[in-house]
Amino acid sequence: MPRLSALALVLALAACEPAPDAPEPEASPAPAEVTPEAAPAMEASTISADDSTSARLTAPVRVDGACPFEGCMYGTWTASGETAVYTAAGDTTSRAFTVPAGTEIEADRGFALVTRLGQILVERDAVIYLASGGEQPVAAGDTLLVLDPEGEGSSRVWANGVLGFSGVDVDMNGPGGEGPALRTLRPAEYQWWAHVRLADGREGWLWMDRTPSVSGADAFG
């Protein structure tokens, strides 16, 4: 009996000993942060500023030849401040060089990159204006897709396969002053890029939304 009691005591003491700590699991590595510059770019569909028809559009949309204000023109420009020139349009990490204020640059082309299509609701029958000078009726209940601005409150819009222009910065009146015909649901978002050449042969792209003003781009001065 004493031997059994001693054995029981040993087993009881062993049961009371704390179990060895389990090794802590290794922490999973944090996912790499994806910056806007590192994110894969979506392929943009492309239309021309002169196009009058198009299949339904989804962003992003590149509008070749766009010049987004009244009197806007490409040609000989002069930088008003230090200006960054990029190797690739749409890539703000590709800065190639800068030019000082007073530098003359030749802007030979450009485009608007519409990153988000705007929307306007037609609340009364109205029209949009075509580049040819004609008009295209739009009916109450239609939704117009808004692309890039043209100046003086007008923007390029898509409606039922037709590309035209309509005032979207302010509500437009319906026929006979019946009240607003168009109501903005959401504005478009876009970038304007212009390709330039310098007298020394260098060339690249200006991100016009972040570029100091240039002289020579406005036909009205």
Side-chain angles (χ1 to χ4, degrees):
M1 291 297 293
R3 289 184 179 179
L4 291 176
S5 298
L7 178 59
L9 179 60
V10 170
L11 293 175
L13 291 174
C16 294
E17 290 183 1
D21 293 337
E24 294 184 3
E26 294 184 3
S28 300
E33 182 179 356
V34 178
T35 64
E37 292 78 14
M42 292 180 62
E43 187 70 22
S45 55
T46 301
I47 62 173
S48 167
D50 297 325
D51 287 347
S52 57
T53 60
S54 170
R56 186 178 180 87
L57 298 166
T58 57
V61 179
R62 173 172 167 154
V63 185
D64 279 339
C67 207
F69 61 87
E70 188 175 21
C72 178
M73 65 180 186
Y74 296 103
T76 303
W77 294 352
T78 303
S80 67
E82 185 175 276
T83 299
V85 182
Y86 298 90
T87 302
D91 182 1
T92 57
T93 67
S94 66
R95 180 181 294 203
F97 55 90
T98 59
V99 296
T103 302
E104 193 171 90
I105 51 182
E106 192 68 26
D108 54 14
R109 64 185 186 275
F111 66 88
L113 180 63
V114 184
T115 55
R116 185 181 80 164
L117 293 168
Q119 292 183 344
I120 56 178
L121 176 65
V122 181
E123 296 196 319
R124 297 179 184 273
D125 291 353
V127 296
I128 61 174
Y129 302 96
L130 307 179
S132 62
E135 297 179 351
Q136 173 72 26
V138 289
D142 286 349
T143 299
L144 312 184
L145 302 181
V146 185
L147 288 91
D148 52 309
E150 294 295 305
E152 294 298 311
S154 176
S155 285
R156 192 184 322 274
V157 296
W158 179 96
N160 303 320
V162 174
L163 290 165
F165 303 94
S166 187
V168 295
D169 291 341
V170 293
D171 291 336
M172 294 181 61
N173 287 333
E178 295 174 344
L182 306 178
R183 179 165 57 89
T184 301
L185 300 179
R186 74 177 187 192
E189 295 179 357
Y190 77 100
Q191 300 172 3
W192 178 26
W193 290 85
H195 183 265
V196 297
R197 298 178 185 274
L198 277 66
D200 61 10
R202 290 180 297 170
E203 61 182 289
W205 291 88
L206 304 184
W207 185 9
M208 298 303 296
D209 310 291
R210 303 292 176 87
T211 294
S213 61
V214 294
S215 60
D218 189 345
F220 302 130

